[in-house]
Amino acid sequence: MGEFIGLSIAGLSLGAIYAIAASGLVVTYTTSGVFNFAHGAVGMLMAFLYWQLRVQDHWSAPAALVLTLLVAAPALGLVLERGLISRLNVNDTGTMLIVTVAVMVALMGIAYVIWPPSIGRLLPMFFGPNGHVSVDGELVSYEELISIGLAIATALGLRLFFHNTRTGVAMRGVVDDRQLMAMNGRSPQVLNALSWMIGAGFGALAGILTASTYSLDVINLTLLILNAFAAAMLGRLRNLPLTFVGAVVLGLADAYVTGYVRLTGWLVELVPVLPTLFLFIVLLALPAVRLRAGRAAVSKAIHVPSAGASLRNGVVLVVVAALIAPFMHGIALGNVNEGAALGIGALSIVLLSGYGGQLSFAQYAFFGFGAWLFRVLGHGGNPWALLVAAGAGALIGALMALPALRLRGLELALSTLAFGTLAWYMFLSQPQIIGGGDVTIPRLHLPGLSLQNDRVNLVFLAVVFALLSAGVLAIRRSRFGRILVATRDSDTACATLGLNLRLTKVALFALASAIATFGGAIYGSTQMIVTNTDFEYVSSLFIVLIVYVWGISTPGGALAGGMSLALAPLVEVHIPVRFQALTYFMTGLGALTILATPEGIVPLVSERLRRLNPLIGLRSRHTRDMSVGNEQLLARVEVSRATPADA
Amino acid sequence: MPLLQTREVTVRFGGVRALDSVSLSADAGVVTGLIGPNGAGKTTLFNVVTGLQAPTSGHVLIDGANVTGYPVHRRARLGIARTFQRLELFGSLTVRENIQTAAEIHQLGSRRRSDVGALTDSILDRVGLDRYAGAAAHTLPTGLARLTELGRALATEPRLLLLDEPGSGLNSAESEQFARLLASLAAEGTAILLVEHDMDLVMQACETIHVLDFGLLVTSGTPDEVRADARVQLAYLGQSDTVSTQAGS
């Protein structure tokens, strides 16, 4: 009995932390319409700040709490909302999500640089090591009771705020009708900012409680967002009471499974994926979301090269690879090979997100799956294994998408991250699959080619990338490609024209997953030695972020993204260890170029180049007029409207 | 039998009745008007007919068959097409691609294979967008954007066409041209349900008019009957000042 009570209290206290974290997420989302991926990272940074004040600078606990919770966290929330979020279109879910991922990465960089992870840090318990009571022989720490108490206070406080204050009532209404709220004299801008300040405050509280009850760790605290999200999904990110129910169920499940179930074999890693499993059950049980009109995303047209142009670009790429390969050696040669392989896999992101407008944060699960399949099937580097990998990837991709298709883009994207987490813990990390140690994968064998030589392999990868890019561009120019872009711009309109959206999305996910898995097999064959850390689920966030920055709608963006990821370590070795994490910060900061060029850097540069080069410019002027809308064209439209006689 | 019938369609949003037991119909070959002040429930009715909004109670019938449970895309394949008050264009595609893609989507669902290119060209010509075919849709001024949505709807060769304020953004010459287009579409047998604030256009183009106010069907009749109806004047035409301001904005 004592054990049961002890476990229940531990579970409730964990659930309480989830509930506090999730409350912040829900408050921000309900009012501002933005899912803040950096919510966990904000809490993480604030927990480190609290440690700094409390432990390093010897502040008293109340003073440190007041400064972090009531000053620093709301200030950070305010800066994020005013500086970034308010400049974005709230209907552009993809860009919005990516920007908050960028913030998350930047905040992680800040934490790593100021508080290097090489030093262990402990937060003292609020009431010292003896701060506990005994319940039926089980020790229950004050920490746990404080968390539970604070969660109850949060629930009551938010209830009162949202129902009994005018500002709170207005915040509930703001997402549904901004203009109406504006007419009532409540500025949506002020309410949005307020919701981010409150959200950050709860994130900070959850971060500090996690740090003092469990551990002060950048990754763990940042990923608290996943558990908070799982809890909040029960209330579809909007309903606070259901969010609390979800949080408590998660906390108790964690405690009871840890306490009562002896986990052996492949179930050893069950506890960390409990929130993910919970999320999947919730997603399956939720009613399908209905299509809404009036939410069409505004996206710019991006130049789509013709078949001739894409082949020409491919030839240039292969020639460049052949020219530089003989001069490369050692680690750099290996990393460029790796970058090319990642670029091939990243083409899946161009198709899925660039054209289809769907975000997936599970790409590395497919990379890992492909690498494993090539290991198992590619005896002697058998090239047929690549095709089997692509086919199997398509199947898994379709299965992953099926339950999630009833959801909005945001929910779908987040559930792919859940899928990636599950795949990493329950599949890729199993010792008989890839596991934590080195496993060897054969190099691809093609008759007549000595691909064992990394220089030859590099040229081969360039050929594969060029062909696959041409294929992806051919899809874009096809009927299916136009339909994909149409669903991205307005899925509601597509449905009213007779398109079966679910079928289209399943096909899209299947195709993109086939490319990702194929790319993973190529990656495995290129690396030849891999461990499960090569496919960590968090990496999926990074690759999508980086490809987004370079240009999500162009194969060039995929290649630049893959290269950035693979070549970053070459740069990092020249940076003092203390500041290596600045690459995180710079990545996050660099990602904010999205604000200026949502289409990405590659399309921007190639457009500039086309304009600079009079020869190319002349040739492509026609197509530019066709696809790229600009002020001049608009002016011309107006002029020709005014003079109908000229037709 | 009318092509479209709604039977006692009610939609509640929380405590608000957006539509209250609305029964109306639209016949093939006829332009039917649907008018009423802002918030009367016109767009909600379109959403119910196209399947974007499930009714709290009531039914939608096409050719007398109950389609209330059908998903959006299946209704489209029965020949329902619409435009949107708040534009839902494929912004990054060109005007031509908008129409072409609609025709291609339509072809996916039918066994008939027609020449998409020729159909697209004829629609561009018909709605008067041939000169803007290469322009990216997101750069279009509102009037042209609405015409593009109309062209896109026509690409599915609809039997029932729901037009949600297609006239806003058109100048008076374009508006007259638009009325002639509606008449020629109706002459081909298309049933057209027209939501519009431009009273001149409605009175000129429609054979029958339904009037909604606060979710209730106030009356139905010919333009003359509707104009003469005291309830309509009270609910709607009496505020002709505000109506014309809205139509002009």
Side-chain angles (χ1 to χ4, degrees):
Chain A
M1 194 59 205
E3 189 190 6
F4 176 75
I5 292 173
L7 284 174
S8 300
I9 291 176
L12 284 175
S13 101
L14 181 61
I17 292 175
Y18 290 163
I20 292 168
S23 299
L25 202 59
V26 170
V27 169
T28 305
Y29 182 77
T30 312
T31 303
S32 72
V34 178
F35 182 84
N36 180 14
F37 216 100
H39 186 62
V42 167
M44 175 274 296
L45 199 68
M46 290 301 123
F48 274 91
L49 177 65
Y50 176 76
W51 176 86
Q52 179 74 34
L53 297 172
R54 182 82 182 86
V55 178
Q56 287 293 94
D57 304 344
H58 307 292
W59 287 35
S60 70
L65 281 175
V66 165
L67 188 93
T68 22
L69 296 181
L70 299 181
V71 181
L76 182 57
L78 183 68
V79 167
L80 290 177
E81 202 281 332
R82 285 288 96 196
L84 286 176
I85 302 304
S86 61
R87 292 160 198 268
L88 294 165
N89 174 2
V90 75
N91 288 334
D92 187 354
T93 312
T95 306
M96 200 64 103
L97 201 52
I98 289 295
V99 165
T100 60
V101 170
V103 171
M104 178 191 97
V105 173
L107 294 182
M108 287 169 76
I110 293 174
Y112 276 135
V113 171
I114 304 181
W115 298 285
S118 46
I119 305 162
R121 290 179 192 80
L122 273 177
L123 260 185
M125 298 176 110
F126 289 116
F127 297 96
N130 297 321
H132 50 70
V133 290
S134 174
V135 179
D136 223 349
E138 290 282 316
L139 295 183
V140 173
S141 74
Y142 285 139
E143 243 68 19
E144 293 174 319
L145 297 178
I146 287 171
S147 296
I148 296 170
L150 283 172
I152 294 169
T154 300
L156 294 176
L158 284 175
R159 167 83 202 175
L160 279 174
F161 177 66
F162 277 127
H163 290 266
N164 296 47
T165 71
R166 285 192 58 191
T167 307
V169 173
M171 279 176 71
R172 281 194 300 155
V174 74
V175 127
D176 298 319
D177 201 332
R178 280 161 197 281
Q179 280 160 357
L180 194 68
M181 290 324 302
M183 283 191 295
N184 285 354
R186 301 274 162 176
S187 153
Q189 284 85 13
V190 172
L191 296 177
N192 282 350
L194 193 60
S195 78
W196 276 74
M197 294 165 74
I198 297 174
F202 282 123
L205 181 56
I208 293 170
L209 288 173
T210 310
S212 72
T213 318
Y214 303 94
S215 69
L216 186 61
D217 173 87
V218 170
I219 290 280
N220 283 347
L221 285 171
T222 301
L223 293 182
L224 187 64
I225 180 74
L226 293 182
N227 301 337
F229 164 63
M233 236 359 245
L234 190 62
R236 223 155 192 160
L237 297 177
R238 286 181 182 278
N239 182 317
L240 279 170
L242 280 176
T243 299
F244 272 77
V245 172
V248 168
V249 169
L250 279 180
L252 288 176
D254 187 297
Y256 293 148
V257 171
T258 311
Y260 287 127
V261 187
R262 260 202 68 216
L263 296 168
T264 54
W266 66 281
L267 283 176
V268 168
E269 298 284 10
L270 182 66
V271 172
V273 296
L274 279 175
T276 310
L277 285 172
F278 174 81
L279 181 64
F280 269 123
I281 295 165
V282 169
L283 289 177
L284 288 172
L286 281 177
V289 69
R290 69 187 178 83
L291 288 165
R292 297 187 71 164
R295 298 270 165 114
V298 179
S299 44
K300 267 189 167 177
I302 289 178
H303 176 78
V304 183
S306 64
S310 60
L311 280 178
R312 210 163 47 228
N313 292 346
V315 170
V316 170
L317 180 72
V318 174
V319 169
V320 168
L323 286 177
I324 62 168
F327 301 101
M328 301 200 68
H329 49 82
I331 296 171
L333 178 59
N335 286 33
V336 173
N337 267 284
E338 182 186 359
L342 286 175
I344 290 168
L347 283 173
S348 63
I349 301 171
V350 173
L351 186 68
L352 185 73
S353 312
Y355 302 160
Q358 300 294 324
L359 279 180
S360 170
F361 294 126
Q363 296 316 87
Y364 269 85
F366 289 99
F367 292 173
F369 184 56
W372 171 71
L373 277 177
F374 197 73
R375 175 178 186 231
V376 176
L377 302 172
H379 298 292
N382 188 347
W384 291 107
L386 291 177
L387 292 184
V388 176
L395 199 68
I396 304 284
L399 285 177
M400 172 184 80
L402 266 176
L405 282 178
R406 306 172 310 130
L407 308 170
R408 279 171 297 171
L410 169 70
E411 295 164 349
L412 210 169
L414 295 170
S415 54
T416 57
L417 182 59
F419 174 86
T421 315
L422 207 56
W424 193 76
Y425 277 110
M426 302 307 274
F427 186 74
L428 295 173
S429 294
Q430 302 295 330
Q432 59 274 43
I433 305 300
I434 289 177
D438 288 350
V439 298
T440 55
I441 296 176
R443 179 60 66 85
L444 183 68
H445 177 77
L446 288 176
L449 287 178
S450 48
L451 294 180
Q452 290 292 339
N453 181 330
D454 275 352
R455 295 190 178 100
V456 180
N457 195 55
L458 179 62
V459 179
F460 169 73
L461 292 180
V463 172
V464 173
F465 182 85
L467 290 176
L468 206 55
S469 301
V472 166
L473 286 167
I475 291 174
R476 170 61 186 81
R477 289 189 307 269
S478 73
R479 175 173 76 180
F480 183 59
R482 276 188 296 275
I483 291 176
L484 284 184
V485 173
T487 57
R488 181 194 65 190
D489 288 352
S490 170
D491 53 356
T492 304
C494 283
T496 60
L497 292 166
L499 186 71
N500 185 333
L501 286 174
R502 286 190 200 176
L503 220 56
T504 313
K505 285 187 192 167
V506 168
L508 173 63
F509 269 93
L511 201 56
S513 306
I515 296 175
T517 314
F518 175 86
I522 294 270
Y523 177 86
S525 143
T526 297
Q527 296 297 89
M528 298 180 74
I529 294 171
V530 297
T531 78
N532 63 348
T533 52
D534 289 322
F535 306 107
E536 226 165 347
Y537 56 96
V538 186
S539 307
S540 297
L541 289 170
F542 283 81
I543 196 167
V544 175
L545 177 66
I546 288 173
V547 174
Y548 219 97
V549 169
W550 284 110
I552 197 108
S553 305
T554 60
L559 186 60
M563 285 293 170
S564 307
L565 282 175
L567 300 185
L570 295 182
V571 181
E572 272 176 358
V573 293
H574 299 293
I575 304 174
V577 176
R578 178 78 162 79
F579 295 106
Q580 276 183 3
L582 273 178
T583 49
Y584 271 90
F585 180 64
M586 296 310 290
T587 306
L589 209 61
L592 298 180
T593 56
I594 292 171
L595 290 174
T597 60
E599 295 79 30
I601 297 169
V602 171
L604 185 77
V605 172
S606 62
E607 182 63 21
R608 288 278 153 83
L609 284 179
R610 262 203 296 279
R611 283 186 190 174
L612 275 179
N613 184 336
L615 261 177
I616 301 176
L618 269 178
R619 197 166 45 211
S620 64
R621 182 179 298 158
H622 173 68
T623 45
R624 199 166 63 229
D625 275 4
M626 296 281 285
S627 59
V628 180
N630 52 35
E631 300 304 318
Q632 289 168 329
L633 177 63
L634 243 184
R636 215 176 309 147
V637 166
E638 288 300 340
V639 168
S640 51
R641 258 159 64 84
T643 54
D646 67 16
Chain B
M1 182 195 301
L3 183 56
L4 167 73
Q5 286 170 276
T6 67
R7 288 226 181 115
E8 298 183 358
V9 166
T10 297
V11 173
R12 277 199 211 95
F13 295 127
V16 185
R17 276 171 198 253
L19 288 175
D20 195 348
S21 199
V22 172
S23 301
L24 51 74
S25 61
D27 289 301
V30 172
V31 183
T32 306
L34 183 60
I35 62 171
N38 281 337
K42 301 171 306 249
T43 297
T44 305
L45 188 78
F46 273 19
N47 287 343
V48 169
V49 172
T50 49
L52 290 173
Q53 172 70 52
T56 313
S57 64
H59 304 285
V60 176
L61 283 71
I62 297 292
D63 291 329
N66 187 355
V67 301
T68 315
Y70 284 24
V72 180
H73 65 95
R74 223 178 126 190
R75 298 190 201 204
R77 299 219 179 120
L78 291 174
I80 304 177
R82 71 172 289 180
T83 66
F84 294 87
Q85 186 195 352
R86 285 170 72 179
L87 292 164
E88 289 279 342
L89 278 176
F90 306 140
S92 53
L93 297 179
T94 64
V95 169
R96 187 172 205 286
E97 286 174 323
N98 264 270
I99 296 168
Q100 179 190 2
T101 306
E104 286 168 337
I105 288 173
H106 181 60
Q107 264 201 357
L108 284 179
S110 75
R111 253 166 263 120
R112 250 183 57 223
R113 285 278 176 272
S114 55
D115 184 349
V116 168
L119 177 67
T120 305
D121 289 334
S122 77
I123 290 172
L124 281 169
D125 182 51
R126 186 165 196 185
V127 298
L129 284 172
D130 34 358
R131 277 184 298 133
Y132 313 110
H138 73 92
T139 63
L140 295 176
T142 316
L144 294 181
R146 293 201 182 280
L147 286 178
T148 307
E149 281 209 345
L150 173 61
R152 197 174 62 179
L154 292 179
T156 66
E157 299 173 314
R159 295 191 298 140
L160 171 63
L161 189 55
L162 308 169
L163 303 177
D164 203 343
E165 298 193 23
S168 67
L170 299 181
N171 62 36
S172 60
E174 286 167 330
S175 175
E176 220 156 277
Q177 203 180 347
F178 183 73
R180 281 198 297 277
L181 176 61
L182 291 186
S184 81
L185 285 168
E188 288 164 19
T190 313
I192 298 173
L193 196 55
L194 175 69
V195 164
E196 185 51 67
H197 276 303
D198 179 350
M199 279 306 114
D200 294 337
L201 179 59
V202 172
M203 295 298 168
Q204 184 191 345
C206 299
E207 201 170 302
T208 311
I209 296 174
H210 301 292
V211 184
L212 281 178
D213 191 22
F214 285 113
L216 282 162
L217 186 66
V218 178
T219 186
S220 304
T222 65
D224 288 335
E225 287 166 359
V226 166
R227 225 193 300 257
D229 194 298
R231 287 165 300 179
V232 177
Q233 290 182 348
L234 188 70
Y236 192 54
L237 296 174
Q239 314 161 2
S240 59
D241 287 349
T242 41
V243 170
S244 57
T245 338
Q246 281 160 2
S249 64

